Amino acid sequence: MILIPLPHVVWGAHRLWALMGLSTLSAPSTEHTLSQFRPVLLDLDADLTRDGLRHLYALGVEPIRIADDFSQCQGYVRRSSANAVIVVPPTGAHVDAHHPVLAVRALIGPDLGLCVVLRESHAEREAELLAGDADIVLSLDGEPARQRARLAALTRRLQESAVTPASEDIYLNSRAHQAFLEGRPLPLTDRLFWVLEFMVRHPAQVLTPEDFGELLAAKGVRIRAQSTPSLIHRLRRILEKYGVGDRIYSVHKRGYRWDDLDAFLPSQRGKADEFFTVSMDRHRGNSS
């Protein structure tokens, strides 16, 4: 006979009820979704689950995953290529060294968005949370139009900071581990993306196998220096299919360097940005 502690039963039942309750949301609330805002919801206040999700859906936010502890949140952010975390902190906790907002910011790093949802608007509480490294604070009794506008502004900032030009035709999305050539996504694994990103951010610099090993070790991937040629070969084979394989140049007995004849120049920013935007719109099927 297996005994389950009563609090876990109550928590599980409450969680199931709250998530099933989403089926009662009206359809119009999800019509205008902020498609580029891809958050994981870290719910640390079970009593807010239903109302909090209802409010987010009304603002056009659809969380990728829902987590109720920090370890789940970290895993979901990594696997889902999320660009933000929405945290519902426990009621009444002051921002100190042990506050969930500070813990989440330390967990996700400075590049991802961090949004906090509260029950009610409190100017002092909001100021405290923003000082604690939150990007935006929402409340259930806040004005929806204003909160949606603030979320849209945050979404634009996240999008701009995520996708950066590496050259006139290559763009990198460091958050999603995705590279684009003339608007087309390249089919790269995470480690191949990191190798490409490392090279294009150090153009004309000879990078040794040890350099690549240290880079991947910092990402949590351990490889031997002897494995670097295999990685470079796989990356070059993929780039050759897109006509840019010759940009990886082998330096005998030293390593590899990225030789890009179209190296990105500040004067080309407008042209590159316009081309990338048009190409990505076409890729997403938004062009007429």
Side-chain angles (χ1 to χ4, degrees), residues 12 33 41 49 54 77 81 87 94 111 118 180 183 191 197 213 221 257 283:
T33 303
L41 176 63
T49 303
R54 182 186 294 276
V77 168
S81 294
V87 59
H94 292 289
D111 296 329
L118 300 176
F180 301 91
R191 64 179 63 186
E197 181 183 43
V221 178
R257 74 168 183 247
H283 172 68

Side-chain angles (χ1 to χ4, degrees), residues 191 194-195 198 202 205-228 231:
R191 64 179 63 186
W194 289 325
V195 169
F198 189 42
H202 299 83
Q205 178 179 337
V206 178
L207 302 171
T208 67
E210 289 74 22
D211 291 332
F212 289 104
E214 291 177 4
L215 161 75
L216 294 174
K219 305 288 187 181
V221 178
R222 301 283 180 179
I223 67 167
R224 296 178 300 171
Q226 297 89 327
S227 301
T228 299
L231 280 176

Side-chain angles (χ1 to χ4, degrees), residues 34 36-42 61-65 73-74 76-78 80-87 104-105 108-116 135-136 151 154-155 157-159 161-162 175-176:
L34 294 170
Q36 299 303 317
F37 188 58
R38 304 183 306 279
V40 167
L41 176 63
L42 177 58
V61 176
E62 184 174 354
I64 298 175
R65 294 290 184 92
C73 176
Q74 186 176 30
Y76 288 156
V77 168
R78 288 178 176 176
S80 306
S81 294
N83 62 1
V85 171
I86 299 174
V87 59
V104 172
R105 174 54 76 194
I108 66 178
D111 296 329
L112 274 68
L114 181 56
C115 174
V116 181
D135 289 306
I136 187 172
L151 278 171
L154 174 61
T155 302
R157 182 180 67 75
L158 292 174
Q159 185 69 3
S161 64
R175 187 173 296 115

